[in-house]
Amino acid sequence: MAFDTAFLDELRNRTPLASLIGRRHKMVRSGRNWKICCPFHGEKTPSFYVYDDHFHCFGCGAHGDAITFVMQSEGRSFPEAVEQLAAEAGLEVPKQDFQQQQRAQEAKSLSDILDLVQASYRRRLYQPEGRHGLEYLRKRGLSNATIERFGLGWSGDGRSLVEELRPHGVTAELLVKAGVMRSDEQGRPNGELFFNRVMFPIKDRRGRLISFGGRTLGDGQPKYLNGPETALFSKRRTLYNIDYAREAAHRGEELIVVEGYMDVIALDQAGFRGGVAPLGTALGDEQLMLLWRMAAAPIICLDGDAAGARAALRSCEVALPLLTPERRLRFCRLDAKDDPDSLIQRGGPGAMQQALDGATPLVEELFNLLVGGVNAPGPDERAALRERLVSLSQLIPDRTLASEYRTSLLDMFFAQFRRRGGKGASTGGDKTPHKGTQHVASGGDERLRLLTAMLLKYPEILPEVEQAYGGLELPQGLDVLRACLFDWISHDDGHLTQERCFKWLEQHGLKEAATETLAASGLLVRRKRAGTGDEDALREEIIEKWWHFYGFLNFKGFEKAVARDIEAAIRSAYAENSGGDGTFPPKLLARMRILDALRRGEVPEAHE
């Protein structure tokens, strides 16, 4: 009984071999792979090795994939093993009929046809008609050995392929199905797809030829052209050079994703055998899963220009919903003037290795892509950026990993946008405040500690002062506490109580630091049991007290923010259909009173 080749490949991709065998046998690590005592013959020392897509016993010679393992270990027939694995993978087994068998036979026939086409292309490269193609490849620095290794060729003028292959029983219709000829609207053959192009064979992970890509040497467009989707070839389900890269990954070499054929080939010639490239499309989820089957932490190496940045951001967004603690990505961003090919030609393999050694984790790349070009954002921009970072971290299905990403992204966010120097808080000086200016009086660190202590004791006020608090430059210990507090309120469902706050801090190893901060702050305000009205009044009093300390520490920033809010309130009051009563909001009035007090030189004290 024949099954569709594409279906079987999909079934194998969705069946991690290590998980399948690990359910039945206890495995131990052996580098990137696993080993067990062979289940098919008695042995005391493990010689049965499990790789990403096949197993091999060096004792008895047993060898195969997931389907083979089920057949040999459970005594099932091929169709029975396929049906069992398909059910476990959530795939529907295609109905077997005469047409299905015909398609399977056709796929084999198309593979044979592509082998004949490649042989033709390779011959042409070394004939007079392929002279310009061969000169181009050698000008790009490729050796004869590399040209042969990758099976590079020349398409010719696109007029003689049918006649050349006719003695082998190959018709124009078959060449259309193989993806090397075009067809018109009625489906009739209408000329060769590739002409006057350097040809790059595209293979599947087992090394079987499935399509071609071609590069024009003139001004024609597109510069690079890939074959169409066929019974053998699906762009989103494979990667260029996946056969050689898979072997390299098994040897422990780095798996490197680059943008094009020539980058892959240049890497290989320089000794980096694990290079792959997408085939004219952005890196997709199925291709990422292929990468993770070969390596736990592949490197995505993109050009340093704007297009490279866009591709990197899209790769991050595609990867996030697929991440697990075992699946990671690293990013290697080159200078804008470089790609891997040009970097190797200019600086040699050492320059490329240095760039790869500097690869950064996905979380850092994601942050830099989103906020790296943002300069002095306003409060609304910062709020939008923070919300974007948090929402992206929530795409990760593993809750523990998502929490770690959220924490890391927010830590970088607050470090990046913390105000410094004249733009933010200072912790030095001993001058008394006076109208129009403000310096932090002696004891600035103590007041910064008090601001933090007030939020630890009354965390329900955090949302109202979060933006201002996030802009202060804090000592290291307080900075860590602040990052944890902000992470907490992004997790919490709105019940911001001191008890829940300290439980969160305890989970993150910061309860003792928070307790010490409260004890050292000199905070004497006590929470009193009272009715709802008294609680609301106390809350407003605490917020005003917080703003008083904040304004004292950061007078210029506070004064500017109040002035901006006054102007906005006036515009709103005079706007058509505003519906307002012409008065300032109570919270703004409170901050205006605090500003007047600071201008009069009133210094807030902790014991009040």
Side-chain angles (χ1 to χ4, degrees):
M1 183 178 292
F3 288 94
D4 179 60
T5 303
F7 166 75
L8 293 177
D9 285 342
E10 177 72 7
L11 179 61
R12 293 183 181 103
N13 286 338
R14 290 203 190 185
T15 308
L17 191 54
S19 299
L20 175 68
I21 298 177
R23 293 201 299 264
R24 298 165 170 82
H25 306 279
K26 184 177 180 180
M27 301 192 299
V28 295
R29 275 285 185 186
S30 176
R32 280 200 61 252
N33 307 304
W34 301 88
K35 63 181 179 180
I36 61 173
C37 289
C38 181
F40 305 126
H41 81 283
E43 63 177 8
K44 296 181 179 180
T45 302
S47 60
F48 186 98
Y49 283 76
V50 181
Y51 303 96
D52 65 322
D53 58 357
H54 73 281
F55 63 84
H56 183 81
C57 178
F58 291 91
C60 68
H63 183 92
D65 58 14
I67 300 172
T68 309
F69 182 80
V70 172
M71 292 172 62
Q72 294 182 6
S73 62
E74 300 184 18
R76 296 183 180 274
S77 65
F78 184 81
E80 290 172 339
V82 168
E83 290 177 0
Q84 175 182 324
L85 292 175
E88 294 173 357
L91 290 175
E92 183 177 349
V93 179
K95 293 182 179 179
Q96 299 298 305
D97 53 25
F98 178 71
Q99 290 183 344
Q100 184 69 36
Q101 295 179 27
Q102 278 190 317
R103 285 194 291 270
Q105 183 59 40
E106 180 182 289
K108 184 179 184 305
S109 175
L110 294 181
S111 181
D112 294 338
I113 291 170
L114 290 176
D115 287 335
L116 293 171
V117 173
Q118 185 192 16
S120 174
Y121 288 160
R122 294 181 71 176
R123 282 196 305 270
R124 292 172 188 273
L125 182 66
Y126 295 100
Q127 294 174 353
E129 63 176 310
R131 177 172 55 87
H132 295 299
L134 188 58
E135 288 177 353
Y136 166 78
L137 294 173
R138 287 176 173 163
K139 185 178 179 181
R140 294 293 296 265
L142 301 190
S143 66
N144 289 339
T146 297
I147 292 172
E148 288 303 305
R149 173 175 167 80
F150 284 90
L152 307 184
W154 178 254
S155 66
D157 60 9
R159 299 176 182 176
S160 56
L161 199 56
V162 175
E163 290 301 319
E164 184 178 344
L165 300 185
R166 193 184 302 278
H168 298 278
V170 178
T171 64
E173 289 76 15
L174 287 173
L175 291 174
V176 170
K177 291 182 178 180
V180 292
M181 286 195 74
R182 297 187 300 269
S183 61
D184 59 21
E185 294 180 356
Q186 284 74 41
R188 295 172 300 197
N190 189 27
E192 293 180 26
L193 179 64
F194 303 102
F195 53 91
N196 295 330
R197 288 178 181 267
V198 173
M199 299 303 297
F200 300 81
I202 300 170
K203 300 179 181 180
D204 65 11
R205 60 196 180 115
R206 298 184 180 183
R208 297 173 300 187
L209 192 59
I210 55 177
S211 189
F212 291 97
R215 188 198 193 282
T216 183
L217 300 185
D219 297 327
Q221 292 296 327
K223 181 179 291 186
Y224 284 96
L225 177 66
N226 291 312
E229 300 275 320
T230 67
L232 292 178
F233 179 52
S234 174
K235 296 177 184 179
R236 72 180 190 277
R237 290 180 177 174
T238 190
L239 295 158
Y240 180 67
N241 196 47
I242 191 173
D243 53 332
Y244 287 151
R246 174 171 160 264
E247 295 173 1
H250 285 163
R251 296 192 299 269
E253 296 187 41
E254 297 280 16
L255 194 59
I256 309 163
V257 184
V258 292
E259 294 190 33
Y261 305 128
M262 290 304 300
D263 292 325
V264 168
I265 296 172
L267 282 171
D268 187 275
Q269 184 169 275
F272 303 93
R273 306 290 189 179
V276 294
L279 294 158
T281 62
L283 196 64
D285 53 356
E286 291 175 288
Q287 291 167 322
L288 281 172
M289 293 303 295
L290 279 176
L291 292 170
W292 280 319
R293 291 193 67 183
M294 294 185 285
I299 298 175
I300 297 182
C301 182
L302 299 169
D303 300 350
D305 56 13
R310 290 193 296 271
L313 180 58
R314 188 186 184 282
S315 297
C316 290
E317 292 175 334
V318 171
L320 287 172
L322 306 174
L323 291 182
T324 69
E326 293 77 31
R327 297 178 192 156
R328 305 183 299 279
L329 279 184
R330 292 171 290 165
F331 286 81
C332 172
R333 296 292 300 282
L334 305 180
D335 292 338
K337 64 185 178 185
D338 274 326
D339 54 35
D341 184 16
S342 64
L343 178 60
I344 290 170
Q345 291 195 34
R346 181 170 52 81
M352 190 69 229
Q353 186 62 59
Q354 185 177 2
L356 293 173
D357 290 342
T360 57
L362 188 154
V363 67
E364 291 184 23
E365 179 71 11
L366 180 61
F367 179 82
N368 291 332
L369 287 168
L370 289 175
V371 306
V374 178
N375 185 28
D380 51 347
E381 293 174 285
R382 289 198 298 273
L385 281 171
R386 182 186 164 192
E387 179 61 29
R388 180 84 190 279
L389 293 171
V390 171
S391 63
L392 284 173
S393 69
Q394 292 171 344
L395 294 175
I396 302 173
D398 185 285
R399 295 188 64 181
T400 301
L401 185 61
S403 176
E404 292 298 327
Y405 262 70
R406 183 186 295 107
T407 299
S408 296
L409 289 169
L410 290 178
D411 284 349
M412 289 185 280
F413 174 83
F414 293 119
Q416 177 85 2
F417 297 118
R418 185 180 304 127
R419 301 177 189 174
R420 298 185 180 279
K423 295 182 180 179
S426 171
T427 56
D430 56 1
K431 297 184 180 180
T432 303
H434 55 84
K435 185 175 182 178
T437 63
Q438 179 64 41
H439 299 273
V440 175
S442 59
D445 280 358
E446 286 73 13
R447 288 184 170 83
L448 289 170
R449 185 182 297 111
L450 180 60
L451 281 177
T452 303
M454 292 174 72
L455 296 175
L456 291 169
K457 192 170 184 64
Y458 305 102
E460 66 267 31
I461 73 171
L462 253 172
E464 295 196 35
V465 301
E466 177 185 359
Q467 195 66 55
Y469 184 48
L472 287 172
E473 182 178 0
L474 299 180
Q476 177 64 29
L478 298 181
D479 191 23
V480 173
L481 277 173
R482 173 175 58 187
C484 195
L485 284 173
F486 284 163
D487 194 26
W488 170 57
I489 63 173
S490 70
H491 278 77
D492 203 272
D493 56 8
H495 300 293
L496 305 180
T497 65
Q498 186 184 43
E499 180 182 1
R500 291 166 69 98
C501 176
F502 271 72
K503 184 177 180 181
W504 176 270
L505 292 167
E506 184 176 17
Q507 291 172 354
H508 292 77
L510 291 174
K511 181 178 180 180
E512 184 177 351
T515 303
E516 291 176 355
T517 298
L518 272 173
S521 68
L523 184 65
L524 299 181
V525 179
R526 293 286 183 265
R527 175 83 77 178
K528 57 186 178 182
R529 295 183 180 276
T532 302
D534 290 336
E535 283 291 320
D536 291 342
L538 178 60
R539 182 175 182 276
E540 296 305 320
E541 181 182 345
I542 295 300
I543 292 176
E544 285 194 35
K545 183 60 65 177
W546 194 94
W547 281 119
H548 201 167
F549 277 102
Y550 172 82
F552 182 79
L553 287 165
N554 185 27
F555 182 81
K556 287 185 177 180
F558 182 64
E559 183 180 45
K560 184 178 180 181
V562 172
R564 183 177 62 245
D565 290 348
I566 290 173
E567 182 179 347
I570 292 173
R571 286 199 306 270
S572 177
Y574 282 94
E576 292 185 8
N577 303 320
S578 65
D581 58 5
T583 61
F584 290 129
K587 293 178 181 178
L588 177 56
L589 286 171
R591 286 191 292 144
M592 290 167 64
R593 289 195 300 270
I594 293 168
L595 182 60
D596 286 339
L598 290 169
R599 285 170 172 167
R600 292 194 302 270
E602 294 184 12
V603 179
E605 296 296 339
H607 64 269
E608 293 178 2

